[in-house]
Amino acid sequence: MLYYIYIGNSQTAIDHLSKVTNGMFVTVSGARKAAKIIDGIRERYNTSILYEESTPQKDSQNITFLHKRFPRVYIILITEGLQKEHRKLYLQAGVNNTLSPMASEESLLQMVKFLRLRKEHK
């Protein structure tokens, strides 16, 4: 089973992504709460964090915390459009990919295929 942990509060994005993801979808308000949930999941290769973009400095601190604590967890930044000057900051923090809040089910399925391949090769 795939686990998606959404960190953020955009109800529109939460409603949409919870419908198009095929797996367990949990919403939390912050990185610390997400860490508690991830601690309970044995197979971390099956876990993806959907992190809603807000303030780049705060986001990078939270993402760095999560990435250091859970290096096997795939971190996806939920963003309408990442500004060029913030890309390096997010990459250095540990973001693996970006996704639109209104991503199509097809784009999510392609990401799931990638995650399954990733798991097989680890």
Side-chain angles (χ1 to χ4, degrees):
M1 174 178 281
L2 295 173
Y3 296 89
Y4 297 94
I5 301 170
Y6 188 95
I7 301 172
N9 56 20
S10 169
Q11 197 58 51
T12 304
I14 291 167
D15 291 344
H16 174 72
L17 292 172
S18 67
K19 289 176 187 166
V20 296
T21 52
N22 293 322
M24 181 73 141
F25 190 92
V26 178
T27 305
V28 295
S29 59
R32 302 276 178 205
K33 289 182 181 181
K36 287 181 183 180
I37 292 171
I38 296 169
D39 280 336
I41 299 172
R42 283 192 194 154
E43 186 53 65
R44 300 220 170 101
Y45 281 117
N46 289 341
T47 305
S48 294
I49 294 173
L50 303 170
Y51 192 99
E52 183 182 306
E53 180 184 21
S54 62
T55 309
Q57 286 295 41
K58 179 184 170 197
D59 292 348
S60 67
Q61 290 173 349
N62 289 330
I63 292 167
T64 298
F65 162 75
L66 291 166
H67 181 67
K68 284 182 178 177
R69 186 152 175 200
F70 307 105
R72 295 178 178 172
V73 171
Y74 197 74
I75 301 174
I76 303 161
L77 183 68
I78 305 300
T79 179
E80 287 288 345
L82 189 56
Q83 293 181 13
K84 190 175 182 176
E85 61 269 16
H86 297 147
R87 289 178 186 168
K88 186 176 180 180
L89 180 68
Y90 282 107
L91 279 172
Q92 288 175 333
V95 168
N96 299 104
N97 209 339
T98 61
L99 194 64
S100 165
M102 292 296 134
S104 68
E105 188 171 358
E106 183 180 319
S107 63
L108 272 165
L109 287 175
Q110 287 182 343
M111 194 175 295
V112 168
K113 277 185 187 177
F114 169 76
L115 292 173
R116 286 195 175 119
L117 283 171
R118 176 180 175 257
K119 180 185 175 193
E120 287 173 17
H121 294 302
K122 296 280 180 172

